[in-house]
Amino acid sequence: MPGMVLFGRRWAIASDDLVFPGFFELSLRVVWWIGILTLYLMHRGKLNCAGGTLLSSYLIVLLVLLAVIICTVSAIVCVSMKGTICNPGPRKSMSKLLYLRLALFLPEMVWASLGSAWIADDVQCDRTVVNGIIATVIISWIIIISTVVTIIIVFDPLGGKMAPYPSSGPNHLDSHESSQLLNGLKTAATSVWETRIKFLCCCVGKDDHTRVAFSSTAELFSTYFSDTDLVPSDIAAGLTLLHQQQDNIRNSREPEGVIGHSPGPPQEADLDAELANCHHYMQFAAAAYGWPLYIYRNPFTGLCKIGGDCCRSRTTEYDLVGGDQLHCHFGSILHTTGLQYRDFIHISFHDKVYELPFLVALDHRKESVVVAVRGTMSLQDILTDLSAENETLNLECGVQDCSAHKGISQAARYVYQRLVNDGILSQAFSIAPEYRLVVVGHSLGAGAAALLAIMLRSAYPQVRCYAFSPPRGLLSKSLYEYSKNFIVSLVLGKDVIPRLSVTNLEDLKKRILRVIAHCNKPKYQILLYGCWYELFGGSPDNFPTELDGGAQGDLTQPLLGEQSLLMHGSPTYSFSSDSPLESPTKYPPLYPPGRIIHLEEEGASGRFWRSAAQYSARWSHESQFSKILIGPKMLTDHMPHVLMRALDSVVSDRAGYVFCPARGGSNVDMV
């Protein structure tokens, strides 16, 4: 921090980002230099052949050139290790060193080209010498090509516009000029992000929904990233520090005492009943993913079990089920749910932007018609996720301010139209009119299932919804309160998705800016210790996340360095409160659906390889998911197979607790 300015433009790399790549290059160059010197000293007597003088001169000049490069790279590494993220002053000579290093590439390229030409002339010298020079030429070109690729990666298309304001931003301009500059930068950033997204999603298609999703996603990214002078390594360092800070705060709290009274039989019975329902219906949410998840969960036997369904032609049993693009999916769905062919009404794996796969089945065990919506599994689904604007819904539910996540609400509307207009639900209830409707889904599918249940409730008042790991940024406040009557959400551990919304992301950015502004350690130390901490654990007290002598309360006050991280003075950024930031009108605060059951890991959170985690279940309020928690399991806790394993453990443990009460007849709940 801030992004370096070279050749009159800003680059997406900071002056303290060169420690690790510089050390790697330095190690390679030193070994290379020693190898060439050894080759020359041991075989210089064998260079009396035709062309040997040229090769001898080539090796001598290369040794000198490598020595100069080694000295330059050593200086770059030493300077890059100085200062802190918010104090680049000790690294002010970095730009001159980089200009020198880049200038040295010219003679290196010339010498590598000459080496290639001499080798091509088929020099008749000692084979060991020739092979050594061939290796030298190859290494030279590998380093040159790697450098070119690195330059392309760190190239910032907006760097030319941002370079005139590297530290102070447009604050020295009057309000009109500042507003014009900000609007111009945002427009340019949106265009750049849209180009990137179109390139990454080139195979998705070009229909109207896709074009709208491209624009929505580009605007979201430009809004979030265009107002701070952060490079990717700054964000990584900030997330590392936040994780340690969160663990430090949690460890410093006084241990919570065991609740000395029973939560009450009705509440506990309700929790047990809903956990049992979640355990049952999670199988349908997992089945909606089709064969990829089934193979992943059963790597040794899955392919053998469903391979026959993939290879043989469509049978008459398949014709009993409506749907499209079944392929290998039907076999995995049958094995996951334990149902028969005749129990399925419709299965669709049609997948486009704002159009999600789903299945409809008759669950005779629970006497319900189950609609399961698939979660994120494709680029189209990701674009649906990222269309995060607020959209007003036209619902017959008697609730004011009916608004929700745009992409997910449109996906729910697509499934609703298929179910109602195509007569799929009518067909299901004509077979089992006494059954009730249950809608389920995981992740993106959970959000779509929740909105689908809200849309269907006027026609099916007894509808129930089980949303597994739903996104937080889904419903307006009034719809969230309304959904508590018939929707239950299940969240595992530190899962990031139920805590993910535009408001929470803005709050996360604020906390990242604050924690890196308060840390007085260089970035390379933060990243090194952070990797060790994430992999092997340790004490978060060993690495400060605030300035020496500062109190925890001081973290609510901005520092000069914190202000310098704001490139353009974002109007959405505020230092006045620790509460989540007020979002722009387009991205108001949104909430998760229904009542929330939280499966919390007991004891200290484990690392990646710990699989025997123990969980406890309890009802939680949505406010407990108002901040994004950083940790090794923030992504893995979202995986459906991990959630299923945790749910199996909790349900079996609670069943044992019911049948084996504690001594003395006490029903104290350990939460």
Side-chain angles (χ1 to χ4, degrees), residues 334-442:
L334 292 173
H335 282 93
T336 302
T337 60
L339 301 182
Q340 304 297 319
Y341 288 99
R342 61 179 179 274
D343 297 328
F344 289 90
I345 306 299
H346 191 91
I347 301 174
S348 172
F349 277 87
H350 168 81
D351 188 14
K352 295 179 66 176
V353 177
Y354 304 152
E355 298 176 6
L356 298 178
F358 66 96
L359 63 87
V360 180
L362 299 178
D363 179 16
H364 302 296
R365 178 181 168 189
K366 292 284 187 177
E367 296 187 345
S368 58
V369 175
V370 180
V371 178
V373 187
R374 197 191 73 179
T376 304
M377 271 202 69
S378 65
L379 289 175
Q380 293 92 327
D381 299 336
I382 293 174
L383 290 172
T384 301
D385 286 319
L386 294 175
S387 299
E389 300 102 317
N390 189 51
E391 181 178 74
T392 301
L393 304 179
N394 184 18
L395 299 174
E396 299 176 2
C397 59
V399 176
Q400 294 182 343
D401 184 25
C402 293
S403 59
H405 182 290
K406 173 185 173 181
I408 301 178
S409 65
Q410 294 206 16
R413 189 175 296 112
Y414 161 78
V415 179
Y416 174 85
Q417 291 172 350
R418 291 289 308 275
L419 294 176
V420 175
N421 297 346
D422 294 355
I424 297 174
L425 282 184
S426 299
Q427 179 185 353
F429 282 103
S430 67
I431 298 173
E434 72 282 6
Y435 283 13
R436 72 173 183 178
L437 180 62
V438 177
V439 188
V440 303
H442 173 266

Side-chain angles (χ1 to χ4, degrees), residues 97-111:
L97 289 172
L98 286 177
Y99 285 135
L100 176 60
R101 177 67 190 91
L102 291 172
L104 289 172
F105 272 110
L106 181 59
E108 188 175 15
M109 289 180 65
V110 171
W111 219 239

Side-chain angles (χ1 to χ4, degrees), residues 56 60 73 90 113 184 221 301 328-329 332 346 385 403 478 501 642:
S56 178
I60 292 173
V73 174
S113 301
F221 283 170
T301 61
C328 304
H329 296 300
S332 66
H346 191 91
D385 286 319
S403 59
S478 56
S501 66
V642 176

Side-chain angles (χ1 to χ4, degrees), residues 50-323:
T53 303
L54 290 176
L55 294 183
S56 178
S57 302
Y58 175 82
L59 291 175
I60 292 173
V61 174
L62 185 58
L63 284 170
V64 175
L65 182 59
L66 282 177
V68 176
I69 292 175
I70 287 172
C71 293
T72 305
V73 174
S74 299
I76 290 174
V77 172
C78 291
V79 172
S80 187
M81 296 171 72
K82 297 179 179 179
T84 63
I85 295 177
C86 290
N87 180 25
R91 304 188 296 273
K92 60 184 178 181
S93 60
M94 179 61 74
S95 59
K96 297 177 182 178
L97 289 172
L98 286 177
Y99 285 135
L100 176 60
R101 177 67 190 91
L102 291 172
L104 289 172
F105 272 110
L106 181 59
E108 188 175 15
M109 289 180 65
V110 171
W111 219 239
S113 301
L114 288 175
S116 302
W118 289 334
I119 292 172
D121 286 340
D122 194 20
V123 178
Q124 301 298 322
C125 286
D126 184 77
R127 198 62 199 169
T128 303
V129 177
V130 174
N131 289 339
I133 294 178
I134 291 175
T136 294
V137 171
I138 292 174
I139 294 174
S140 296
W141 283 113
I142 289 176
I143 292 178
I144 292 170
I145 293 172
S146 300
T147 303
V148 172
V149 172
T150 302
I151 291 174
I152 294 173
I153 292 174
V154 301
F155 177 79
D156 186 351
L158 299 174
K161 299 178 182 293
M162 297 179 181
Y165 314 102
S167 58
S168 61
N171 298 328
H172 63 284
L173 304 175
D174 60 42
S175 59
H176 178 68
E177 291 176 329
S178 177
S179 177
Q180 283 187 326
L181 175 64
L182 290 173
N183 290 334
L185 284 172
K186 185 175 180 181
T187 302
T190 302
S191 177
V192 168
W193 277 109
E194 187 165 355
T195 301
R196 291 170 174 170
I197 294 166
K198 286 180 178 178
F199 175 77
L200 292 174
C201 304
C202 58
C203 59
V204 169
K206 296 182 180 180
D207 56 80
D208 291 339
H209 282 171
T210 303
R211 284 191 287 269
V212 171
F214 284 158
S215 300
S216 299
T217 305
E219 188 166 356
L220 173 64
F221 283 170
S222 64
T223 300
Y224 187 73
F225 289 110
S226 63
D227 62 348
T228 56
D229 193 4
L230 292 175
V231 297
S233 61
D234 294 334
I235 298 175
L239 293 174
T240 296
L241 291 172
L242 273 181
H243 182 207
Q244 296 168 48
Q245 184 189 82
Q246 289 171 356
D247 288 352
N248 193 12
I249 294 174
R250 187 188 64 215
N251 295 341
S252 64
R253 291 175 181 167
E254 294 183 2
E256 298 181 2
V258 177
I259 299 176
H261 61 279
S262 172
Q267 184 178 358
E268 279 298 287
D270 182 42
L271 178 60
D272 286 329
E274 294 296 6
L275 278 173
N277 287 333
C278 288
H279 184 254
H280 176 77
Y281 288 115
M282 182 61 201
Q283 306 299 323
F284 291 88
Y289 282 98
W291 67 262
L293 180 60
Y294 184 79
I295 296 294
Y296 184 80
R297 291 178 58 206
N298 305 273
F300 300 109
T301 61
L303 189 60
C304 297
K305 290 181 178 179
I306 68 172
D309 295 296
C310 300
C311 300
R312 65 170 175 258
S313 59
R314 188 181 179 103
T315 62
T316 55
E317 290 87 350
Y318 278 63
D319 294 330
L320 297 175
V321 181

